Amino acid sequence: MRTGATMGGEIARAAGRLKSAGVPDPRSEARLLMGYALGLARETVFGHADRPVTPAEAKRFESVVRRRVSREPAARILGCREFWSLPFRVTAATLIPRPETETVIEAALEAAGGRERAIDILDLGTGTGCLLLALLSELANARGLGVDASVEALEVAAANASALGLSDRARFRLGDWSKGLRQRFDLIVANPPYIPEDEIGGLEPEVARFEPGLALSGGSDGLGCYRALAADIRRVMAPGARIVLEIGEGQGDGVTAILGAHGLEVTGRRGDLSDISRCLVAEFTG
């Protein structure tokens, strides 16, 4: 340890290393990691740059900085990511929730037909459970089922439901999209994998190296999961049900065509904060 090490000095040195590694906003990231490593509130990290850092603290900080320099996502290091103002545990088995996915929540709340309705929600490819649990936090009389192909992801989703006090209204099941389900649902949400297989290696390292491939790959054209999902989805849609899907940039027309081939009409599109078409709302109109 350097003699007279302080929190501000350690943050400055770490920020330099993070910048060299290509990490965006390196100083903010260094502060975040310092707070995590030392168990300090954000305000303490900002307001006490001269605070001495002990050898044990310096060692803990170095450990997490080294991980971030390798481009491991900060959310994976911290084990938590905020989504819809709620804390969600994340692990190597789950896709890290992203701000643009909140577009699905906004559209789904509009499609729900009123905040007081007692509706059944299906979340396909639930991962951390962020879509289902965010919706249940807003819809007090709703219940929901989250389906995922990963046992490990389902364990994380169930833990998140418990931590958020929503276990009484949320269930989770191992499955392949809607196959095997007998219940019908009023609202269906999904954020399917939609990255074309040959493009995954070119994504930012945080995604390409650390996110679960099962949650990324949409096949050769990125639309494979939409085809699989659409093939069976009408069977589990209650009368008047709506489905809300996240899509990748430029995939709106392709997904609309896939849904249309199975009798579903896209009745709404929603863009994210970057004005990229991010979400489709569809219903059975036959």
Side-chain angles (χ1 to χ4, degrees):
M1 173 184 168
R2 287 168 287 276
T3 302
T6 65
M7 196 156 57
E10 293 298 299
I11 287 172
R13 278 182 282 272
R17 292 169 59 193
L18 293 171
K19 182 177 181 180
S20 296
V23 174
D25 202 2
R27 194 164 188 87
S28 291
E29 291 267 337
R31 291 192 184 106
L32 177 68
L33 296 174
M34 177 63 79
Y36 171 70
L38 273 61
L40 300 174
R42 181 174 180 269
E43 295 76 14
T44 302
V45 175
F46 267 93
H48 296 83
D50 294 335
R51 177 193 183 279
V53 175
T54 69
E57 290 172 336
K59 185 176 181 180
R60 291 199 301 271
F61 183 52
E62 168 61 23
S63 175
V64 296
V65 169
R66 195 161 50 238
R67 291 171 66 183
R68 191 67 184 99
V69 165
S70 76
R71 301 299 292 270
E72 183 176 355
R76 278 274 300 278
I77 296 170
L78 275 59
C80 184
R81 179 65 171 262
E82 183 179 284
F83 178 83
W84 202 251
S85 298
L86 300 171
F88 285 88
R89 179 187 169 209
V90 298
T91 72
T94 60
L95 190 72
I96 297 170
R98 286 167 168 74
E100 57 267 28
T101 301
E102 293 188 351
T103 306
V104 176
I105 302 299
E106 294 168 355
L109 289 173
E110 289 184 5
R115 297 291 181 106
E116 302 305 317
R117 286 186 66 206
I119 63 172
D120 289 302
I121 303 171
L122 175 62
D123 177 13
L124 296 173
T126 194
T128 61
C130 66
L131 289 179
L132 176 60
L133 298 175
L135 287 170
L136 293 181
S137 76
E138 297 281 352
L139 304 171
N141 296 314
R143 299 172 301 175
L145 172 66
V147 177
D148 205 282
S150 165
V151 172
E152 294 83 3
L154 290 172
E155 290 173 349
V156 174
N160 282 327
S162 178
L164 294 170
L166 295 169
S167 293
D168 60 332
R169 295 191 287 127
R171 297 177 293 121
F172 298 96
R173 167 179 169 150
L174 186 69
D176 179 8
W177 301 117
S178 56
K179 292 179 183 177
L181 298 181
R182 296 185 178 181
Q183 182 181 355
R184 291 195 172 195
F185 298 86
D186 304 292
L187 178 64
I188 300 172
V189 294
N191 177 16
Y194 52 70
I195 308 297
E197 183 67 37
D198 61 1
E199 293 182 13
I200 293 176
L203 299 175
E204 59 186 10
E206 286 84 349
V207 177
R209 296 180 194 167
F210 293 98
E211 295 279 42
L214 185 66
L216 293 176
S217 177
S220 60
D221 64 353
L223 302 179
C225 293
Y226 297 100
R227 296 187 184 94
L229 187 154
D232 187 52
I233 203 66
R234 275 179 53 191
R235 186 182 58 81
V236 297
M237 295 176 71
R242 292 179 178 178
I243 179 170
V244 184
L245 299 174
E246 180 168 333
I247 59 173
E249 185 173 2
Q251 293 181 331
D253 291 345
V255 176
T256 295
I258 290 169
L259 295 174
H262 293 279
L264 292 163
E265 180 182 350
V266 171
T267 56
R269 296 194 184 200
R270 182 181 288 265
D272 60 21
L273 293 176
S274 299
D275 204 27
I276 295 171
S277 185
R278 183 63 61 187
C279 174
L280 298 180
V281 180
E283 56 190 281
F284 175 52
T285 59

